[in-house]
Amino acid sequence: VAYGNMAKQYLVNAGAPENHVFVGRNTVDTTFFADQTNELRNQLPTNKDKAHFTYLGYLVPRKNVKLLLESVKIVAEQRRDFVLDIIGDGISMEELKSFVNQNQLNDVVSFHGFRQKKDLPAFFAISRGMLFQTDFDIWGLVLNEAMAAGVPCLASPNAGATYDLIEEGRTGFVVDFTDTQLVANKIE
């Protein structure tokens, strides 16, 4: 049983007979994320002053969130009417905070640390987009969570979930985060 279509292709390429490999997509409680986010979204004031974007995940080297911050820096050179909410913790946290401080991005990047499942709908309710950067993920459950909450996603091609869940231009975009200008354009 493979996580998704990319994992299945890997197993087939490694010699497994295609008709013996089945896809069992990894998932989350989609009803929870949809219902809780919509309930909170309906309570929001209509005059929000800043657009919010969300990164949710571990802050570790293989996630390479600094690439995302490079794109945010490009957008911030033109406008500052947005916020990137970074939800997560990990060994890269201090390096990322240092980058934000050195580049004077404190007004557009907010670190929230690790949050429990019950706290995530509040972030999704105000989010205009999930920015899912990773250098490697077999799946990437955060994409399931954001999409269940109705949040469009910019998703890395380095995650298996991207190929199964993103419908280009409809539910989001597949974006190579190493192209920081392209990502900045998509955030715009």
Side-chain angles (χ1 to χ4, degrees), residues 126-188:
I126 61 171
S127 185
R128 298 258 184 101
M130 171 74 165
L131 307 177
F132 180 46
Q133 157 51 28
T134 183
D135 285 350
F136 174 77
D137 264 287
I138 293 171
W139 185 255
L141 283 173
V142 296
L143 201 56
N144 297 65
E145 294 168 348
M147 293 180 81
V151 178
C153 302
L154 296 184
S156 171
N158 301 319
T162 298
Y163 297 94
D164 288 46
L165 300 180
I166 295 294
E167 294 178 35
E168 191 72 20
R170 185 165 176 260
T171 60
F173 299 93
V174 179
V175 182
D176 179 353
F177 281 78
T178 62
D179 187 342
T180 55
Q181 184 62 58
L182 174 64
V183 173
N185 294 345
K186 293 290 186 184
I187 291 171
E188 277 283 327

Side-chain angles (χ1 to χ4, degrees), residues 104-123:
Q104 300 175 343
L105 298 172
N106 291 305
D107 61 321
V108 296
V109 176
S110 183
F111 290 90
H112 299 277
F114 173 80
R115 299 296 176 155
Q116 294 292 336
K117 172 186 165 182
K118 67 179 177 55
D119 301 322
L120 300 180
F123 290 98

Side-chain angles (χ1 to χ4, degrees), residues 1 13 18 21 25-26 30 32 38 42 46 54-55 64 73 77 81 89 98 101-102 124 129 145 150 172 177:
V1 177
N13 289 345
E18 187 167 1
V21 180
R25 288 183 183 87
N26 212 351
T30 56
F32 167 82
N38 284 331
N42 291 334
T46 56
T54 305
Y55 170 83
N64 201 1
K73 179 181 170 189
E77 290 169 358
D81 59 345
D89 203 354
S98 178
N101 287 331
Q102 289 171 1
F124 289 142
E145 294 168 348
F177 281 78

Side-chain angles (χ1 to χ4, degrees), residues 50-99:
K50 289 192 174 193
H52 284 256
F53 295 90
T54 305
Y55 170 83
L56 171 60
Y58 294 115
L59 304 179
V60 295
R62 77 175 171 87
K63 296 293 187 171
N64 201 1
V65 178
K66 189 173 178 189
L67 279 176
L68 174 55
L69 293 177
E70 292 281 357
S71 296
V72 166
K73 179 181 170 189
I74 292 169
V75 176
E77 290 169 358
Q78 303 301 314
R79 59 190 310 167
R80 295 186 95 76
D81 59 345
F82 71 98
V83 173
L84 171 61
D85 291 307
I86 296 179
I87 306 160
D89 203 354
I91 61 174
S92 298
M93 172 82 87
E94 292 309 314
E95 174 191 353
L96 298 171
K97 284 184 173 181
S98 178
F99 180 88

